[in-house]
Amino acid sequence: MHLWISIPFCTMYVVAMVGNCGLLYLIRYEDSLHRSMYYFLAMLSLTDLVMCSSTIPKTLCIFWFHLKEISFDECLVQKFFIHTFTGMESGVLMLMALDRYVAICYPLRYSTILTNSVITNIGFATFLRAVLLIIPLVFLTKRLPFCRGNIIHHTYCDQLSVAKLSCGNIKANIIYGLMAAFLIGGFDILCITISYTMILRAVVSLSSADAQQKAFSTRTAHICAIVFSYSPAFFCFFFNRFGSHKIPPSCHIIVANIYLLLPPTMNPIVYGVKTKQIRDCVVRIFSVSKDTKSQHMKGI
């Protein structure tokens, strides 16, 4: 069944690579997209590219060529990239919520609050937070003695899947992993909730129904990105802690892969469909290409 299972994985990975690279290209070369909202979207696209590329190529090698081996150091590197960039994904979604809060609640000061230097600094701080919180987790795993075999029941080097192979005490790994998850995910969800509460209050206070509809419509893509990112993450988190004896391991492995593949696949599609400026840029590029081709044919 590996060959058949690999088809949706490969398809989603190709869509994720093309979609996110396309978004990065548009944001880089289209002057109309040189705004804070799209800079945060570029951060999200770059994070998604690294996140899915950390696991899916190796997963496809397992499905297609049965190349299941990975060295211990490579496993630690993969684990570092996976957890760092899932933490970065959560942080960027939080920054995008704050960006919309400033845009809706302080529209006249929007450009002066979120300057390019501020965006660069908070983006780097979000990345640094993820790196500093995940590095200790890698060293906690490296210090463990391993004597229970070398088969990881997963398609990638997950935190608990690797730690459970140890014959030592993994209590510190579990406690620190929970702490890192709450410091990253818990803090980001709290900030997103507060931002949307303030946004909702500001939108409801608008007198015009059209203005309310427009304000709500600008948040649809971001809400979809939050759902795609956090829903499988919550499932994996609660499965690892509470449901490992009640849910088949194959279900956990599938959802864990969806957790790393669904957001990179869906984010460029959702933002491309729901964001008018991005749609207009895509239409303009294809129109120019079509006109150029027509003129070339006429010349011939």
Side-chain angles (χ1 to χ4, degrees), residues 196 216 219-228 271:
Y196 271 97
F216 277 123
R219 305 310 324 126
T220 305
H222 185 242
I223 292 171
C224 290
I226 292 172
V227 171
F228 291 141
Y271 276 97

Side-chain angles (χ1 to χ4, degrees), residues 17-18 27 31 33 68 83 85-86 97 111 114-115 119 122 134-135 158 162 173 177 188 223 239 248-249 265 272 279:
M17 295 297 291
V18 172
I27 295 168
D31 293 338
L33 301 182
K68 301 180 180 182
H83 293 294
F85 282 91
T86 51
S111 59
L114 289 174
T115 61
I119 294 169
I122 60 178
I134 298 305
I135 282 179
D158 178 59
V162 177
N173 296 62
D188 293 342
I223 292 171
F239 175 87
T265 303
R279 287 202 313 269

